[in-house]
Every structure is written in structure tokens, then in C-alpha cells.
Amino acid sequence: MQLSDAQATRPPADPWRAMAAFSAALLGLMLLWAISGDPRQVEGVAVWIKPAKFSLSLMILFATIALVVDRLSPAVRSGWTLRLIGWAMGAAMIAEMVWIIRQAALGVGSHFNLATPLEAFMYETVMAGGAVILVLGVGLVGLVAYRDRAADLSPALREAIWLGFLASFVLTMIVALRMGGGGGHHVGIHPEGAPSWPFLGWSGVTGDLRPAHFLSLHAMQALPLFALWLERRGSSRAVLKVRLAAVAWSLLTLLIFAQALAGLPLIRL
């Protein structure tokens, strides 16, 4: 696909690409350690799986933002607003990953771990604060894109980015606050050895907040992809369809969240 003149003259979204590349490098390192034969587990899962999943999630998050920033106007791309958002999200990402990897190296949990004053402080303050900064940054980038009228965005794609990024922020905060306040992602008892989803680890026997958390995080990818698909098909009233999709995605996320709160698994295994 040939770039427009406006796109071709823009500098690359280096900070966001750098953070995506760094996360990808961490993912590769975590996977190498995961297959190295380390037999240790945390809550029945190999110690390097959690840092690998976080690295993958952050890689996708920053790559998505980089693609959006690529389409913004040069003035907005080089402005202080995006720089400050990028610095804050980068610092939060590094703090989160350093702690998660450190805990994995020690063979102990990084989340919901209040065993020592340091671990309690890191989880309740640094990790919680970092998570808020990351999702707030997503919402702010969506707002920047929405307000940038010189951006290389169609009406449907602009609406999808704004609503998708906003939904990721709001829904993630709702689910994550319940997870943090409840001291874990299970609602009910998940006995050791009980059936769970491969790799994802979602419980197949009791309520699990992680499916709703997954949907909330990925609204920022799902809605823009839907808008691009509508445009490719030449669909009429694309903006309205994007808005309806945003409502549907949000309702589905909240429904699955409510299902978990009722102590019911997403799919009983």
C-alpha cells in the first residue's frame, strides 16, 4: 500500500515503536527462560509465563499506539502532550516489568502478594499506580487522536480509535479495581489441579475476572480493526456502526464481568 504524501513526510513514532520493540525483546527472553527447563511454578503455572504474557500484552499495546500516532498530524506528533504521555507510560511499563521479572526470578508471585512490606508496597502502590498510568495513557492518546482534525483518519476510524481507547480505559479500570480490591482474579474457589484454559489460565470451574479484563484491554484494537473492515467493504453509515459496536463490546465485557462476579466460569470445563 502506497503512503500518502502526508504520511511519508512524518517522522516515525519512535518512542512507541521503541517500547513495543523492548516489550518484544522481553517476550523473547521470557520464552527462552520458560523453555530452559526451569521447573518452578507459582500457583501451578511456570514462573516465566506471567512475565511472558505481560510482555506480549505490552508489545501489542504500544504497537497499536504507534500505528495510531503514525496517522496524527506532525504538530501533534511532536507536541509535548504525546511526549509526556509516552514518558509516563514508558516509566510505568519498565517499573511493572522489572518487578514482575524480579519476582519470577525469585519464584514468588508479583500480583496479590503482600507477604512482606516491600512486596505490599510494590503491589499496592507501584504496580497499581503503573497500571493506572498505562490505561489512562491509552485513553489520553485516544482523546488526542479524536481532537486532531488534521490527522490522516477517516470519520469511522477516528470514532473507532476514540471509542476503543476510551472503552479500554474505562472498562479496564472497572474490572481491575474489582480484581485488586478482591485480592485476586478468582471469584470462588479454584482448587489446585482444577481445569483451566490452556496458556490463558482462566478457570473452568469458578468465576474468573480475567476474561472481562482481556476484553476490556483489547477494545482498543477490536474497534479500529472493525472500522477498517467496514471501510474496506465500503459500508455505509460506518460511524454509526462503529458506535453500535462500541456499545456491544462494552455490554459484552460487562456481562462477562457480571458472570464472573456470580461465581460462574466463562465456559465450564
Side-chain angles (χ1 to χ4, degrees), residues 137-148:
V138 169
L140 290 175
V141 172
L143 177 61
V144 169
Y146 180 76
R147 291 170 60 89
D148 184 8

Side-chain angles (χ1 to χ4, degrees), residues 9-257:
T9 58
R10 293 173 189 157
D14 288 336
W16 310 102
R17 284 196 170 87
M19 287 186 279
F22 179 69
S23 300
L26 284 179
L27 173 61
L29 184 60
M30 297 306 105
L31 292 177
L32 283 176
W33 286 346
I35 64 176
S36 66
D38 190 337
R40 296 175 301 159
Q41 294 188 343
V42 176
E43 297 181 353
V45 179
V47 292
W48 298 112
I49 293 299
K50 173 165 282 189
K53 290 196 292 186
F54 269 77
S55 299
L56 176 61
S57 179
L58 288 166
M59 180 187 72
I60 294 171
L61 182 149
F62 289 123
T64 302
I65 294 177
L67 290 172
V68 170
V69 172
D70 272 346
R71 290 175 172 262
L72 301 184
S73 64
V76 171
R77 285 166 55 87
S78 60
W80 278 104
T81 300
L82 280 183
R83 290 187 191 183
L84 291 174
I85 295 171
W87 290 342
M89 293 182 73
M93 179 265 287
I94 291 171
E96 295 253 329
M97 290 309 303
V98 165
W99 182 250
I100 292 170
I101 293 171
R102 185 252 192 194
Q103 293 295 90
L106 294 176
V108 295
S110 55
H111 289 67
F112 314 113
N113 183 353
L114 310 177
T116 68
L118 174 61
E119 287 168 325
F121 171 76
M122 289 301 296
Y123 173 64
E124 295 180 335
T125 304
V126 177
M127 296 283 287
V132 170
I133 289 171
L134 286 169
V135 295
L136 176 60
V138 169
L140 290 175
V141 172
L143 177 61
V144 169
Y146 180 76
R147 291 170 60 89
D148 184 8
R149 292 303 167 184
D152 184 22
L153 298 170
S154 67
L157 186 55
R158 183 190 304 275
E159 195 76 3
I161 291 170
W162 158 237
L163 292 178
F165 280 41
L166 177 65
S168 278
F169 166 58
V170 174
L171 294 172
T172 299
M173 289 300 297
I174 292 171
V175 179
L177 283 173
R178 173 58 179 81
M179 289 174 68
H185 41 69
H186 289 139
V187 180
I189 304 299
H190 179 84
E192 186 175 351
S196 58
W197 289 49
F199 184 71
L200 295 171
W202 300 343
S203 177
V205 297
T206 192
D208 197 320
L209 299 168
R210 287 173 293 183
H213 190 51
F214 178 88
L215 287 177
S216 68
L217 286 172
H218 293 294
M220 64 181 293
Q221 288 92 24
L223 289 176
L225 286 173
F226 179 63
L228 290 171
W229 179 74
L230 289 175
E231 290 178 353
R232 186 165 185 175
R233 294 179 67 246
S235 179
S236 61
R237 306 184 73 182
V239 171
L240 175 61
K241 291 175 181 177
V242 164
R243 290 172 179 168
L244 292 174
V247 172
W249 189 276
S250 299
L251 289 176
L252 176 62
T253 303
L254 293 174
L255 177 63
I256 292 175
F257 179 54

